[in-house]
Amino acid sequence: MIRFALHGRLRPVSGAVGYKIGTGFLHPPSASRLSVQAAALNGYGEDFDSHSYATALQDCVRRCDILAGKAVHCEALKKGNCLDLFASNILLNLYAKSELFDDASHLFEEMPQRNTVSFVTLIQGYGQAQHFEKAFELLSQLHREGHELNKFVFTTFLKLLAGMERMELGPSLHACIVKLGHHGDAFVGTALIDAYSLRGDVSSAKGVFDRIVCKDMVSWTGMVTCFSENECFEEAIKFFSQMMRIGYKPNNYTFASVFKACLGLDVVELGKNLHGLTLKTCYELDLYVGVGLLELYSTLGEMENAHKLFEELPHKDVIHWSLMISRHAQGQRSREALDLFGQMVEASILPNQFTLASVLQACTTMESLESGKQVHCRASKLGLDSNIFVSNALMDLYAKCGRVDISARIFDRSHTRNDVSWNTLIVGYIQSGDAEKALDLFSNMWNCQTEATGVTYSSVLRACSGLAKLDPGNQLHALAIKTTYNKDPIVGNSLIDMYAKCGDIKNARLVFDTMDLQDEVCWNAMITGYSMHGLSGEALRVFEMMKEQKVQPTILTFVGVLSACCNGGLLEQGQSYFDSMVYYGIEPTMEHYTCMVGLFGRKGHLDRALELIQKIPSEPSIMVWRALLGACVIHHNVELGKVSAEKVLTMDPNDESAYVLLSNIYANARRWDNVASVRKKMKKKGVKKEPGMSWVEFQGSVHYFTVGETSHPDGKLINGMLEWLNMKANTGGFIPNCDTILHQVEDEEKGRMLWLHSERLALAFAMVRMPNVGPIRIIKNLRICVDCHTAIKMISGFVQREIVVRDVNRYHHFRDGACTCGDYW
């Protein structure tokens, strides 16, 4: 069949001249053999005997002995170059199969007469060497000179089309074959079946098969292979059974194809029965049969049988080893994959690029950087480190082991890159927390005209989400629509997540509503998005819609639902949803308990929160105690807050937030000695409070502000805007909440300090510089204070603009003097 012949798996036979062409590489002849060859030819006397030369040349072809063949050619030239057509074709075949195309072409041009065999011989040589243009030129010349278009011409033509991946020309060639009456020939018919198989046209292949007059075992095998390769697995099994009933005995290619069908149908028992048949027919030791069986057993979870078969194979080459290593690496058996690789090295089997890529995958899964480095060294010694499969695997290894800098160096040195190369480094940057570099790399990828994939879009959208960069996210959405990747469910889910995390919940809902397929990930993203924006009612409505659509809630679904209840202070509903998790077969996780502790605590039910913590079946996590500590700050519960802080600091002695929150509890209670003690401990442990910071994006640049910022180039304009905002707010009845300043200073000074908070500086800059259209979007690294929340709420009313602030916990949408959080956060 075509695909096997192209890879040197079948031995091409030139039936017109009656000899077989060897496929092994050339062995240098000994001097004695050359002299014997010459003596034998000279011994025929002065009369030139072309038949004797043909016999000698056939012997050279059989032994793949190019030097001896050249010696015979030289001897013939000395005698007057009187080789007949038969002998010349044999010599032409020797040169073509040895890829000595200059010699072959020279001989071909000097032949006094040529026939179809001459052309086909040279065309096959060019085709196997992938010199397709030369091969097609000869085909055109064959036709122009009026030589016979026999079955060998057509099968050779079909092989060329397969090698060039131009099987769309197959039907045109088929029409010519029918016109000349060769369509009933089994040899030509099988080649056509394989051609249609490569095109995925199973029905046309079946039509060709039905018209073959005398079907042989190769024809049947071609049809079984066609069905298997095109995922018509049931038809492949039926054809195989029919073939057996008729009386044809399957060969190694038949078994390999039918094993693939068993794998596609997930019928391991049938595969075991066929395995028994291979034992009876002695094909179990064949390379393709062995690989097919290993693939079947290892993929369908029969690793014990796969190991047993593997151990029993008397001759294991790199394909067998690579397959077993790959299946172990993909099946989370990384240690076994590395052990197998060690055995392979001990057996002196040289790994190929696929072996090394699988071993590196195992190292990546184990996050074993040292093992990966050793494999990297071996790949370099073998000269395979520049292979695209190996280099991509190396990049993935280093990126996931925290050395994305090495991944970048490998990427920069790569001469061949594909979309996987770019995606691997993009994901590596995102996982290492460098989303800016991920966006820059995507821009370079686009400039290099490398086509982005669904993985690319979802990864870069994730980078936009982490940076809360809406403008690049909008541009990516436009590109996704242009390339139709917006229809990809993974990209759609990433778009929802991006819009939600960038503060545009309306567009998040628009993407959600226009998705063709809404899976549980999509629903979860929408519920979590609404919860993050303080729209608890919308989040719960989406959850009810999810249940109506019969989509099964997951663990993450209930995290989103309980977060929505916590953010909205919906105590009864939260308790009801928490209790209903059992109905869906979901055991509460630490995330669910954290939501409930936060819900009870922020509503003032600190005793119920503590009681729930005591009921957690495992050791409560640090997040649970942090939730209780935050509630104690809100409700000024010093003693329980102290206990919660101690629990947090026991788990993480350097937890900065625990020290800060405990200090705030003491400050609210005016226990300044305790405040000083906490700060002393922080200083002693080297723990520093994270400074409050807010930032806005304007014209592609990010402008950062800290409390009391004075270094910004627009400082005077910002101060002027702050004075105007302060005046307007005071005129409207705004009264500063000085309790949020936990320092021992006068109230007047506290009021001045409040107007220098980072979020107000960012707001003033945005109002000075940004156009008076669309919402102002501000991001803050800490929780927004009560006074800033009240001030911005009032400002949104008299400036008539929507102001969106994302703090460390959630989004606040200020519009017309109100906030979506309902002053509960």
Side-chain angles (χ1 to χ4, degrees), residues 590-611:
M590 219 47 90
E591 287 80 5
H592 302 116
Y593 284 114
T594 300
C595 292
M596 291 304 297
V597 169
L599 176 56
F600 286 135
R602 288 170 62 186
K603 291 293 286 185
H605 299 285
L606 298 177
D607 53 341
R608 292 180 65 182
L610 184 59
E611 182 182 350

Side-chain angles (χ1 to χ4, degrees), residues 228-239:
S228 292
E229 293 291 335
N230 290 282
E231 299 185 1
C232 301
F233 302 122
E234 291 186 4
E235 289 84 349
I237 299 294
K238 290 177 183 176
F239 248 69

Side-chain angles (χ1 to χ4, degrees), residues 31-318:
S32 60
R33 186 165 7 115
L34 284 174
S35 60
V36 170
Q37 190 83 60
L41 291 170
N42 288 330
Y44 286 105
E46 296 182 359
D47 294 334
F48 188 89
D49 186 357
S50 183
H51 177 73
S52 300
Y53 281 88
T55 303
L57 287 168
Q58 280 182 323
D59 185 56
C60 295
V61 171
R62 181 179 56 79
R63 292 184 284 104
C64 302
D65 196 337
I66 185 62
L67 293 181
K70 283 190 171 186
V72 174
H73 190 188
C74 288
E75 192 66 32
L77 291 173
K78 290 177 184 178
K79 296 287 187 178
N81 194 21
C82 298
L83 292 176
D84 64 11
L85 180 59
F86 180 72
S88 296
N89 282 342
I90 297 173
L91 180 59
L92 183 65
N93 174 67
L94 178 63
Y95 284 144
K97 295 305 177 184
S98 303
E99 296 191 4
L100 299 175
F101 292 113
D102 288 340
D103 293 325
S105 180
H106 188 68
L107 172 64
F108 182 80
E109 294 299 330
E110 290 189 344
M111 288 173 65
Q113 62 178 117
R114 298 186 288 257
N115 62 2
T116 300
V117 175
S118 313
F119 279 92
V120 169
T121 299
L122 192 51
I123 290 168
Q124 286 180 346
Y126 278 130
Q128 290 182 351
Q130 297 190 344
H131 297 167
F132 298 121
E133 290 186 7
K134 287 280 189 181
F136 262 94
E137 286 176 11
L138 283 172
L139 273 171
S140 300
Q141 185 179 347
L142 181 152
H143 184 59
R144 285 197 309 271
E145 293 184 8
H147 294 285
E148 179 190 7
L149 296 177
N150 59 24
K151 59 183 180 181
F152 300 106
V153 174
F154 288 119
T155 54
T156 301
F157 201 161
L158 287 166
K159 289 175 187 177
L160 284 178
L161 294 179
M164 297 177 67
E165 297 182 356
R166 294 293 308 276
M167 296 314 301
E168 70 273 9
L169 300 176
S172 300
L173 186 58
H174 187 185
C176 185
I177 291 170
V178 172
K179 187 175 181 180
L180 295 177
H182 291 297
H183 57 288
D185 182 84
F187 187 47
V188 178
T190 303
L192 276 170
I193 289 170
D194 208 28
Y196 280 118
S197 176
L198 289 171
R199 289 190 70 213
D201 190 349
V202 178
S203 60
S204 294
K206 179 64 167 57
V208 171
F209 178 81
D210 291 338
R211 289 177 180 85
I212 295 175
V213 178
C214 297
K215 301 176 180 65
D216 57 11
M217 183 270 296
V218 179
S219 308
W220 281 93
T221 297
M223 203 61 227
V224 172
T225 302
C226 175
F227 283 129
S228 292
E229 293 291 335
N230 290 282
E231 299 185 1
C232 301
F233 302 122
E234 291 186 4
E235 289 84 349
I237 299 294
K238 290 177 183 176
F239 248 69
F240 177 77
S241 301
Q242 190 177 350
M243 169 184 169
M244 293 288 289
R245 284 197 301 271
I246 293 173
Y248 287 109
K249 292 183 179 180
N251 63 15
N252 51 345
Y253 301 121
T254 323
F255 280 119
S257 297
V258 81
F259 283 137
K260 183 171 184 176
C262 292
L263 180 59
L265 292 173
D266 197 9
V267 284
V268 70
E269 291 304 319
L270 177 58
K272 289 178 180 179
N273 292 335
L274 291 170
H275 186 182
L277 186 57
T278 65
L279 295 173
K280 292 179 180 179
T281 54
C282 300
Y283 276 117
E284 80 281 3
L285 304 181
D286 179 81
L287 170 65
Y288 303 112
V289 174
V291 169
L293 278 168
L294 286 176
E295 183 89 34
L296 177 70
Y297 287 136
S298 60
T299 305
L300 298 184
E302 296 273 340
M303 289 306 298
E304 187 176 342
N305 283 329
H307 272 289
K308 186 177 180 181
L309 173 65
F310 182 74
E311 293 298 329
E312 290 176 351
L313 289 173
H315 303 292
K316 294 185 276 285
D317 69 3
V318 66

Side-chain angles (χ1 to χ4, degrees), residues 5 30 35 58 99 239 259 310 360 380 399 405 424 435 462 475 491 506 536 545 561 575 603 705 710 741 750 803:
S30 64
S35 60
Q58 280 182 323
E99 296 191 4
F239 248 69
F259 283 137
F310 182 74
L360 287 167
S380 299
D405 56 320
T424 300
R462 181 181 162 194
Q475 294 170 23
V491 176
K506 289 182 180 178
S536 302
M545 288 169 54
V561 168
Q575 183 68 67
K603 291 293 286 185
F705 299 89
T710 58
I741 300 294
K750 287 183 178 181
I803 303 167

